[in-house]
Amino acid sequence: MYKKNIGLQLSTIIVVCLLSLQSFAQSWDIPADKKAKNSYIPFTAVTAKEGEAIYTKTCMSCHGNPGKGNSLKTLKPVPPDLTSSITQQRTDGDLFYILTTGRLIMPSFKNVFSEDERWKLISYIRSFNKQYVQVLSKFDPRKSKLVKFALTYEPATRLIRMDVKATEKTGIVLLKNDEVELYVNRYFGRLKIDKSQTTSAEGIAYFKFPNDIPGDKLGNLELIAKVSDDNYGEVEYQKKLKLGIPTDMPPLTQKRAIWNVVEKAPVWLLATYTTGVLVVGLFLLYILFNLWKLKKSGTINTIKS
Ligand code: HEC
């Protein structure tokens, strides 16, 4: 009897712990500067409509129709109805952060939607809140033209040094504490180099560069640097550097290959196909021939028993 009680107590404790863990997981841990971020796009009926189009395509399958409480209940945690007071009490920066980073089932939309598109989604979410008053960001997208990058390679350490600054009329502003990324352009999209880094107080970040990326005939690689800054926005810069392995790759359509046009299909494929067609054709001819023979041998006699 006593033992049973201990078991019961233990399981109660475990259940309580799990429950508190779950409620613990429900709060988003959002850095203060991200919380305070505001949209540079004024929210209007037009931006809400554009956001709605994205929402219907991408979010509705999980979050349901706003205000209808018909989100996908089989998920854990259940995706909240975005018109709820819990969501509406969050800052625009919170929502932008949640959309950008995601968490567990809630996907990250950082590389799916541009900043503009993410703000338009928030504009749509806000359109259900009559009390909402927008605070606009002071950021002006035209300022992104002032951002200048420098990419230099340090052979001894195989590090790429990235310098990011903005040339304002009042002088040079170093972009410090910003997230920066480095990519190499490939046939089918971008290859990310190293992890995302944060610029130092001098506006500098370093990336470890691999030594096995095939380049063009001369070893050139197309590098893409990207910075996300609250005042200057998301800015990209491209530069060719001779950091790859020189590779003389024939174009994809030069050799016989399965993805090429008929004249350049692989021989085995042509042979198999032709044999197939011939065999079926000859078989049909053989049937026709036999039918003809049957006909020639006279009318078919009914067999009398
Ligand atoms: C695969 C299902 C799924 C998709 C698709 C999805 N979400 Fe979510 N979303 C979730 C889940 C689950 C949560 C709860 C996450 C948590 O609390 O850990 C969530 C949370 C959120 C929150 C935070 C709500 C709050 O106040 O706690 C916002 C905002 C949000 N989603 C917006 C969106 C938008 C906008 C889209 C479309 C671009 C989207 N979600 C697409 C599953 C999804």
Side-chain angles (χ1 to χ4, degrees):
M1 191 68 194
Y2 183 65
K3 262 190 188 158
K4 219 177 182 178
N5 261 342
I6 287 192
L8 201 75
Q9 274 172 345
L10 261 181
S11 54
T12 315
I13 290 172
I14 289 171
V15 165
V16 167
C17 280
L18 282 176
L19 279 178
S20 62
L21 253 182
Q22 208 190 359
S23 62
F24 189 68
Q26 268 158 17
S27 69
W28 289 77
D29 194 10
I30 301 174
D33 60 322
K34 303 279 194 246
K35 240 178 151 44
K37 192 176 164 88
N38 288 311
S39 166
Y40 49 83
I41 297 175
F43 295 168
T44 61
V46 176
T47 57
K49 195 97 200 134
E50 289 173 318
E52 181 181 4
I54 305 176
Y55 181 91
T56 308
K57 244 198 242 157
T58 317
C59 326
M60 200 143 94
S61 53
C62 287
H63 286 279
N65 299 82
K68 296 278 190 299
N70 59 350
S71 54
L72 201 57
K73 299 289 188 309
T74 44
L75 294 182
K76 245 192 174 116
V78 173
D81 188 319
L82 302 181
T83 63
S84 75
S85 59
I86 295 176
T87 303
Q88 293 296 340
Q89 271 162 20
R90 299 190 193 280
T91 65
D92 290 348
D94 289 341
L95 297 179
F96 189 85
Y97 181 84
I98 292 171
L99 273 182
T100 304
T101 61
R103 174 169 85 181
L104 301 172
I105 302 173
M106 169 64 194
S108 153
F109 290 102
K110 182 164 187 248
N111 297 319
V112 181
F113 297 125
S114 66
E115 250 194 272
D116 281 20
E117 288 170 320
R118 275 173 268 159
W119 284 124
K120 285 171 184 170
L121 276 164
I122 295 167
S123 165
Y124 176 60
I125 295 171
R126 288 305 192 198
S127 71
F128 295 94
N129 182 350
K130 296 285 165 279
Q131 270 108 51
Y132 172 74
V133 183
Q134 189 184 13
V135 182
L136 263 177
S137 149
K138 289 183 284 294
F139 163 68
D140 174 356
R142 280 168 299 184
K143 283 183 80 165
S144 55
K145 295 211 177 64
L146 305 176
V147 175
K148 298 272 178 301
F149 284 86
L151 287 180
T152 41
Y153 179 60
E154 303 181 350
T157 48
R158 285 208 76 88
L159 289 175
I160 296 256
R161 173 178 159 161
M162 187 190 291
D163 286 74
V164 206
K165 60 190 176 197
T167 44
E168 293 274 4
K169 281 197 198 88
T170 49
I172 284 181
V173 180
L174 301 170
L175 299 197
K176 51 189 169 203
N177 277 328
D178 276 349
E179 193 184 69
V180 282
E181 275 149 15
L182 186 69
Y183 301 91
V184 169
N185 226 356
R186 301 273 81 189
Y187 253 131
F188 302 106
R190 295 170 167 195
L191 174 72
K192 190 165 177 183
I193 302 298
D194 210 345
K195 298 190 293 282
S196 302
Q197 306 285 349
T198 307
T199 50
S200 66
E202 292 80 36
I204 301 171
Y206 289 93
F207 295 86
K208 213 165 186 50
F209 203 82
N211 56 2
D212 55 357
I213 302 182
D216 66 6
K217 269 182 219 162
L218 300 171
N220 284 317
L221 291 176
E222 187 90 53
L223 267 65
I224 303 163
K226 183 174 167 187
V227 67
S228 310
D229 181 273
D230 285 345
N231 292 315
Y232 297 96
E234 284 182 3
V235 192
E236 286 194 3
Y237 164 79
Q238 293 209 0
K239 185 178 187 183
K240 230 179 208 177
L241 279 178
K242 224 185 230 178
L243 294 177
I245 300 167
T247 314
D248 198 1
M249 269 228 291
L252 276 176
T253 50
Q254 204 178 68
K255 284 193 191 154
R256 283 191 181 277
I258 200 159
W259 53 78
N260 218 330
V261 291
V262 176
E263 297 89 76
K264 290 210 171 160
V267 176
W268 64 263
L269 186 65
L270 288 173
T272 321
Y273 175 75
T274 317
T275 319
V277 170
L278 275 177
V279 167
V280 173
L282 285 175
F283 190 63
L284 285 176
L285 278 179
Y286 176 70
I287 293 173
L288 283 176
F289 175 68
N290 276 304
L291 282 174
W292 174 75
K293 250 182 27 188
L294 258 175
K295 183 149 193 246
K296 219 181 152 212
S297 69
T299 42
I300 302 164
N301 295 318
T302 40
I303 299 160
K304 290 176 189 142
S305 51

